[in-house]
């Protein structure tokens, strides 16, 4: 009987994947035909300022659909995990900053009672005495930052995890947020996947107990914690989502060591390249009356820099190469510095402002490019050039003195440390698994303000990763993994397209701005099949899953997505910090206050859409009498299409109104720090 049931399940899964692929292909074909027609035959260039943005937004949506189709093309529906080997050691990490002590205690108690033998640790980034007392009372471990972190960058949750990694020793790590209450069997169900020695991560869904079936805040994300993660799993690209996940310590430590070595090699290589340029310029500037020994020293060091770079290219250890070159520089400096001490002092005094500044990057140490360029292009006296090269080599901070730990296994490049860490693990050849079983239950945001703060953090971190480590160019990723990561990043660019999709029907019905030159039968024949097939694809992919809420928030949170992209770009390109206030979750007994200041862009568009829809209906009902904004003959098809478009946009945006008044029904007041200044 069990075999028959398994066979039936496999057959249903195969049939479903087949239907998904058929719908995906048909949707993309219909979309491609429509977009080609839009670009080639239907743009009204008389109103190019809306016509061009609209067709670009539609093209963006088609590419988004293509990436979604790629993601779910190889959906992997896993069964039970293999039986885990006996004796596997596990550390359970509960990360907390300022969550209520009673919440931390409840999670710690449940974690302590997990059946598989393990050690439970509360990682208290707030160093609170009451949390230490809870740990002692429950008999679990307690860890806070060591003194090494004083005065250093803390890197939020990533720093908290890295600090704990170097104070514990379990082979595997179960990571839980302070509100995620684990089931006793969580490790029994997940550890078996690590029987494959190449698996570094097993992720299970995040599920929330304080969310109603209506879920107006869209917290459960059943499409992501289901078809999307299963689709990514098919490409070996299942994401680490920060909690309810088990990781292999060996994989994390290898990642940290590899990152440290790469960063050190990059810094040494950069200093060698600049040193070679400095020495070459000094060599060309030697005068005939310069000492022969000085000429020989500069030439020898320039050749030594060439040789050192060649040795790095051939794979020799960076420590050996840099040490040999440093010794050569020191020898030349000691033997010749007395001959031109005054010239050296003059050069150093004159160019003190050009001293290369070392920037503490979370992935290593880099040089300020402008300062290095000035150093390389400056005409140095021969002996000053030698001294400057020596300073460059000494400036390579091998010990990462600006960081509490020289090795950071969990990435701190972005405020979404989970995605970047997972992507780097995949680039190193490690595997991930998505285990589709709810094994921990947490608390979702209880009001719109908290939800927006949380989504902004996610989007900002994702954009940081895109701008710093583009998966399309990151070495080591396979094509399917590249597209899986890029699909998630691409989806956060939807804010600009959403503005166009909201503005277009308003502009047409109120001002007569016509982005499409053909609203007749050709438009309907090409657009309607594309739209219907696209919705059918979502219905098949999300069969049995409520996906509509996710589609609504893709459009309704457009100000959040735009802000995330702008602030992330400012952070990456100009060094501006990412910061926003911690949001307190209110108890359900408090009377909700309408947060108009948080959603004024959506309210403005909804007002415009209502006016536009009413105008369009009146125009159709009283031909010639009401024709506000529409110049020339009225195109009934165009008016109908845009009225329906406006109504659809209003239905989508209506979720933001429900969310504005929403409070979770259970009294589960919680303060959570989703993000601190980065």
């Amino acid at each position: 009987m069990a075999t028959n049931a398994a066979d039936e399940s496999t057959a249903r899964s195969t049939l479903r994947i087949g239907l998904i692929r058929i719908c995906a292909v048909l949707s993309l074909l219909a979309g491609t035909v429509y977009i080609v027609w839009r670009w080639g035959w239907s743009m009204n260039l008389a109103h190019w300022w809306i016509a061009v943005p609209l067709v670009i937004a539609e093209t963006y949506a088609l590419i988004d659909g293509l990436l979604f189709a790629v993601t779910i093309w190889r959906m992997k529906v896993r069964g039970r995990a293999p039986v885990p080997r006996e004796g596997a050691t596990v550390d359970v990490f509960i990360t907390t900053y300022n969550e209520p002590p009673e919440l931390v205690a409840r999670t710690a108690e449940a974690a302590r009672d997990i059946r598989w033998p393990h050690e439970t640790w509360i990682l208290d980034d707030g160093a609170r005495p009451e949390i230490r007392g809870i740990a002692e009372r429950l008999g679990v471990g307690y860890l806070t930052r060591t003194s090494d972190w004083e005065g250093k960058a803390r890197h939020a949750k990533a720093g908290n995890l890295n600090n704990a990694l170097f104070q514990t020793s379990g082979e595997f790590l179960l990571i839980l947020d302070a509100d995620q209450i684990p089931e006793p069997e969580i490790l029994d169900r997940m550890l078996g996947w690590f029987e494959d020695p190449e698996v570094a991560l097993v992720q299970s869904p995040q599920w929330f107990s304080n969310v109603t079936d209506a879920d107006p805040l869209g917290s459960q994300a059943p499409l992501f914690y289901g078809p999307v993660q299963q689709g990514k799993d098919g490409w070996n690209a299942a994401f680490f989502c920060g909690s309810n996940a088990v990781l292999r310590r060996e994989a994390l430590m290898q990642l940290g060591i590899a990152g440290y070595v790469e960063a050190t090699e990059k810094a040494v290589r950069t200093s060698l390249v600049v040193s070679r340029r400095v020495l070459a310029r000094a060599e060309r500037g030697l005068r005939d009356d310069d000492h022969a020994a000085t000429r020989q020293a500069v030439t020898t060091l320039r050749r030594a820099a060439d040789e050192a770079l060649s040795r790095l290219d051939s794979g020799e250890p960076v420590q050996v190469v840099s040490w040999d070159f440093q010794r050569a520089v020191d020898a030349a400096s000691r033997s010749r510095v007395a001959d031109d001490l005054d010239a050296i002092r003059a050069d150093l005094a004159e160019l003190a402002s050009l001293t290369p500044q070392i920037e503490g990057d979370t992935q290593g140490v880099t040089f300020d490019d402008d300062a290095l360029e000035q150093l390389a292009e400056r005409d140095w006296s021969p002996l000053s050039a030698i001294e400057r090269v020596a300073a460059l080599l000494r400036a390579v901070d091998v010990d990462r003195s600006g960081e509490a730990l020289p090795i950071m296994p969990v990435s701190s490049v972005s405020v979404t440390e989970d995605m970047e860490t997972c992507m780097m693990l995949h680039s190193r050849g490690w595997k991930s698994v998505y285990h589709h079983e709810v094994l921990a239950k947490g608390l979702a945001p209880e009001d719109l303000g908290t939800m927006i703060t949380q989504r902004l953090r996610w989007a900002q971190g994702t954009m940081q990763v895109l701008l710093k480590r583009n998966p399309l160019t990151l070495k080591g990723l396979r094509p399917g993994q590249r597209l899986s990561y890029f699909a998630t990043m691409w989806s956060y660019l939807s804010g600009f397209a959403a503005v166009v999709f909201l503005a277009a029907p308003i502009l047409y019905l109120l001002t007569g701005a016509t982005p499409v030159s053909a609203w007749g039968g050709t438009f309907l024949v090409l657009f309607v099949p594309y739209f219907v097939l696209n919705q059918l694809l979502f219905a098949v992919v999300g069969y049995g899953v409520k996906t509509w809420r996710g589609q609504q928030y893709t459009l309704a949170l457009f100000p959040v997505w735009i802000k995330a992209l702008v602030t992330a770009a400012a952070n990456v390109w100009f060094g501006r910090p990412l910061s926003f206030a911690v949001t307190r979750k209110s108890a359900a007994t408090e009377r909700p206050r309408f947060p108009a200041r948080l959603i004024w862009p959506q309210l403005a568009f909804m007002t415009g859409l209502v006016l536009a829809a009413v105008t369009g209906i009146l125009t159709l009902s009283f031909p010639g009498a009401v024709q506000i904004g529409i110049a020339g003959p009225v195109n009934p098809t165009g008016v109908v299409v845009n009225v329906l478009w406006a109504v659809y946009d209003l239905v989508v945006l209506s979720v933001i109104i429900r969310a504005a008044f929403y409070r979770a029904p259970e009294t589960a007041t919680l303060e959570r720090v989703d993000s601190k200044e980065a």
Side-chain angles (χ1 to χ4, degrees):
M1 293 294 292
T3 302
N4 291 337
D7 291 341
E8 290 178 7
S9 177
T10 301
R12 287 195 300 270
S13 177
T14 302
L15 177 61
R16 182 187 177 199
I17 292 174
L19 288 174
I20 287 173
R21 291 179 177 179
I22 291 172
C23 291
V25 170
L26 293 176
S27 175
L28 292 174
L29 285 175
T32 301
V33 171
Y34 171 73
I35 291 300
V36 169
W37 173 75
R38 286 284 290 111
W39 277 100
W41 290 275
S42 70
M43 275 199 297
N44 183 10
L45 295 181
H47 296 132
W48 63 267
W49 46 272
I50 183 61
V52 173
L54 179 59
V55 75
I56 291 175
E58 290 178 304
T59 304
Y60 166 86
L62 178 62
I63 296 173
D64 192 50
L66 171 63
L67 292 172
F68 178 73
V70 170
T71 298
I72 49 86
W73 188 262
R74 296 175 62 178
M75 282 179 56
K76 180 176 287 188
V77 181
R78 296 179 183 264
R80 295 176 65 90
V83 177
R85 65 176 174 85
E86 295 183 7
T89 59
V90 182
D91 288 318
V92 178
F93 287 170
I94 302 167
T95 59
T96 179
Y97 178 72
N98 68 349
E99 291 84 357
E102 62 272 15
L103 178 66
V104 178
R106 187 171 58 166
T107 302
E109 184 175 10
R112 182 199 62 187
D113 294 340
I114 292 173
R115 287 200 294 259
W116 188 271
H118 65 284
E119 293 286 338
T120 298
W121 301 90
I122 299 177
L123 313 187
D124 182 18
D125 224 8
R128 292 172 290 170
E130 60 269 33
I131 301 298
R132 182 186 292 273
I134 288 171
E136 293 174 351
R137 175 171 59 83
L138 294 176
V140 301
Y142 177 84
L143 293 174
T144 189
R145 302 288 183 121
T146 65
S147 59
D148 295 332
W149 292 87
E150 294 179 6
K152 307 289 180 63
R154 296 183 66 83
H155 304 306
K157 183 178 177 180
N160 195 11
L161 289 170
N162 283 325
N163 175 71
L165 275 168
F166 287 94
Q167 300 185 65
T168 55
S169 59
E171 296 173 72
F172 303 101
L173 313 168
L174 169 60
I175 298 177
L176 299 168
D177 284 343
D179 63 305
Q180 291 288 340
I181 312 297
E183 299 292 338
E185 66 272 16
I186 184 169
L187 290 174
D188 296 88
R189 299 292 182 88
M190 296 175 70
L191 277 180
W193 296 116
F194 290 100
E195 292 304 294
D196 181 347
E198 296 181 355
V199 170
L201 163 74
V202 179
Q203 176 70 56
S204 66
Q206 294 191 23
W207 192 90
F208 305 101
S209 59
N210 63 332
V211 172
T212 64
D213 290 338
D215 190 17
L217 298 180
S219 297
Q220 294 290 28
L223 183 63
F224 178 78
Y225 287 112
V228 171
Q229 275 282 52
Q230 290 172 325
K232 292 180 184 298
D233 197 14
W235 295 105
N236 185 30
F239 281 8
F240 173 32
C241 301
S243 183
N244 307 358
V246 182
L247 292 99
R248 189 187 296 269
R249 180 186 295 270
E250 177 189 359
L252 285 176
M253 297 308 295
Q254 284 187 13
L255 182 62
I257 292 170
Y260 169 78
V261 171
E262 287 182 358
T264 303
E265 180 177 344
K266 181 180 178 181
V268 170
R269 184 182 294 275
T270 301
S271 68
L272 286 172
V273 169
V274 175
S275 296
R276 181 173 60 180
R277 292 174 62 184
V278 168
L279 291 165
R281 289 183 66 86
E283 189 177 18
R284 290 193 299 270
L286 286 168
R287 302 184 301 273
D288 292 338
D289 58 349
D290 284 320
H291 291 286
T294 300
R295 300 170 64 89
Q296 181 63 35
V298 174
T299 301
T300 299
L301 283 183
R302 193 262 303 161
R303 292 173 179 170
D306 289 336
E307 180 185 359
L309 287 168
S310 298
R311 291 171 64 187
L312 285 179
D313 291 337
S314 66
E316 288 195 42
V318 63
Q319 295 91 338
V320 176
V321 174
S322 60
W323 172 247
D324 288 346
F325 185 66
Q326 183 70 66
R327 285 196 304 171
V329 172
D330 289 343
S333 181
R334 284 194 302 269
S335 64
R336 304 309 310 159
V337 71
D339 294 342
D340 199 15
L341 186 58
D342 291 339
I344 292 172
R345 288 174 175 167
D347 275 339
L348 295 182
E350 178 186 352
L351 297 171
S353 62
L354 299 183
T355 300
Q357 300 298 311
I358 306 304
E359 299 176 346
D361 186 339
T362 57
Q363 291 300 308
V365 178
T366 59
F367 291 98
D368 181 89
D369 292 336
D370 292 336
L372 285 176
E373 188 64 25
Q374 294 179 67
L375 287 168
E377 296 300 325
R378 170 70 163 79
D379 286 322
W380 297 91
S381 66
L383 295 179
S384 292
I386 295 174
E387 182 63 20
R388 182 54 59 190
V389 167
L392 282 171
L393 267 293
R394 289 193 297 270
V396 178
D397 188 5
V398 176
D399 294 328
R400 293 190 183 180
S401 58
E403 297 284 355
L405 300 170
I407 295 176
M408 295 281 189
V410 178
S411 172
S412 49
V413 162
S414 77
V415 294
T416 52
E417 72 291 327
D418 42 19
M419 169 186 278
E420 207 270 343
T421 299
C422 190
M423 189 170 71
M424 295 308 297
L425 285 170
H426 283 134
S427 73
R428 298 285 174 186
W430 290 96
K431 297 179 182 178
S432 64
V433 168
Y434 176 64
H435 183 83
H436 189 52
E437 180 182 11
V438 175
L439 293 168
K441 298 176 181 178
L443 296 176
E446 298 180 357
D447 60 74
L448 179 62
T450 305
M451 184 268 275
I452 287 177
T453 299
Q454 182 189 70
R455 302 295 175 89
L456 178 61
R457 170 186 174 269
W458 293 348
Q460 285 176 322
T462 302
M463 290 297 99
Q464 281 181 303
V465 175
L466 173 63
L467 296 173
K468 290 184 177 182
R469 293 190 184 276
N470 189 333
L472 297 180
T473 58
L474 182 64
K475 292 182 180 179
L477 292 179
R478 296 177 180 177
Q481 292 172 324
R482 295 184 190 279
L483 292 177
S484 291
Y485 279 103
F486 185 71
T488 298
M489 298 169 181
W490 178 263
S491 68
Y492 282 117
L493 302 176
S494 64
F496 298 102
V499 170
V500 178
F501 288 139
L502 293 170
I506 297 174
L507 292 171
Y508 177 80
L509 294 170
L510 294 184
T511 72
T514 307
V516 181
S517 61
W519 288 113
T522 303
F523 171 81
L524 295 176
V525 166
L526 295 177
F527 174 76
V528 172
Y530 171 39
F531 179 81
V532 171
L533 285 168
N534 190 61
Q535 293 302 309
L536 180 61
L537 173 61
F538 270 95
V540 175
V541 170
Y543 178 75
V545 175
K546 298 178 180 179
T547 63
W548 172 241
R549 190 69 75 230
Q551 294 183 62
Q552 284 184 292
Y553 274 117
T554 298
L555 184 72
L557 289 181
F558 69 91
V560 175
W561 313 143
I562 293 173
K563 180 179 179 180
L565 178 59
V566 171
T567 54
N571 172 261
V572 173
W573 293 339
F574 306 110
R576 295 179 183 174
L578 295 178
S579 61
F580 42 88
V582 176
T583 305
R584 180 186 296 269
K585 292 190 175 182
S586 303
T589 55
E590 293 182 7
R591 182 178 180 179
R593 301 176 62 182
F594 191 79
R597 64 179 182 83
L598 292 178
I599 57 172
W600 67 264
Q602 292 94 326
L603 295 176
F605 269 112
M606 292 183 77
T607 302
L609 288 166
V610 169
L611 292 175
V614 170
T615 299
I617 292 171
L618 292 176
T619 298
L620 292 173
S621 302
F622 305 98
V626 179
Q627 197 169 319
I628 300 175
I630 302 178
V634 174
N635 183 325
T637 303
V639 174
V640 170
V641 168
N642 279 273
V643 168
L644 292 176
W645 188 352
V647 171
Y648 176 81
D649 284 348
L650 283 168
V651 171
V652 172
L653 289 178
S654 66
V655 69
I656 212 74
I657 303 298
R658 294 187 60 190
F661 286 111
Y662 177 76
R663 293 296 183 276
E666 300 179 12
T667 303
T669 303
L670 169 65
E671 284 184 8
R672 178 190 300 174
V673 176
D674 278 308
S675 158
K676 296 183 283 294
E677 185 171 293

